[in-house]
Amino acid sequence: QVQLVESGGGSVQPGGSLRLSCAASGFTLEYYVIGWFRQAPGKEREGVSCISSSDGSTDYADSVKGRFTISNDNAKNTVYLQMNSLKPEDTDVYYCAAGLIEGCTLDPIFYEYWGQGTQVTVSS
């Protein structure tokens, strides 16, 4: 059964850090582009970051450049999102997704499989 499961969310103060994990089962993430997205209630889903194993490319939304880092561990079939210097505006539900895409994209329409989401809350 194809499944993506996010974990690692929680509540932190501004300036804090979290590391999100996206674990795959039923397929191998190495052969997909993996993206991280976030969505607040009533708003459109926003692309945060992506990674492509085929060419090693990564991409980040302007709002998180220099603060977030995406990485993968193929042996564990897991992708991570390290989030540093968190801001209140980073508060959202974060989702990972997988798609058979040539190169990274932050457009969610190209992703086939989605996790259930993990909540990130940044507040004082």
Side-chain angles (χ1 to χ4, degrees), residues 13-25:
Q13 297 183 32
S17 297
L18 288 170
R19 189 177 76 158
L20 306 184
S21 298
C22 175
S25 61

Side-chain angles (χ1 to χ4, degrees), residues 44-100:
E44 295 293 319
R45 190 161 294 184
E46 175 191 12
V48 176
S49 184
C50 59
I51 185 168
S52 173
S53 295
S54 63
D55 62 7
S57 64
T58 60
D59 199 9
Y60 299 90
D62 288 342
S63 59
V64 307
K65 286 180 179 177
R67 300 188 297 119
F68 291 10
T69 303
I70 192 169
S71 62
N72 64 291
D73 186 337
N74 290 333
K76 295 184 177 181
N77 211 26
T78 299
V79 172
Y80 304 95
L81 184 68
Q82 179 67 46
M83 305 187 296
N84 298 326
S85 302
L86 284 163
K87 305 175 180 179
E89 52 263 44
D90 296 319
T91 296
D92 266 317
V93 176
Y94 283 71
Y95 302 86
C96 69
L100 288 172

Side-chain angles (χ1 to χ4, degrees), residues 27-50:
F27 66 102
T28 302
L29 287 179
E30 182 180 3
Y31 304 110
Y32 287 76
V33 172
I34 308 301
W36 283 98
F37 301 83
R38 61 189 183 186
Q39 187 171 22
K43 295 187 177 181
E44 295 293 319
R45 190 161 294 184
E46 175 191 12
V48 176
S49 184
C50 59

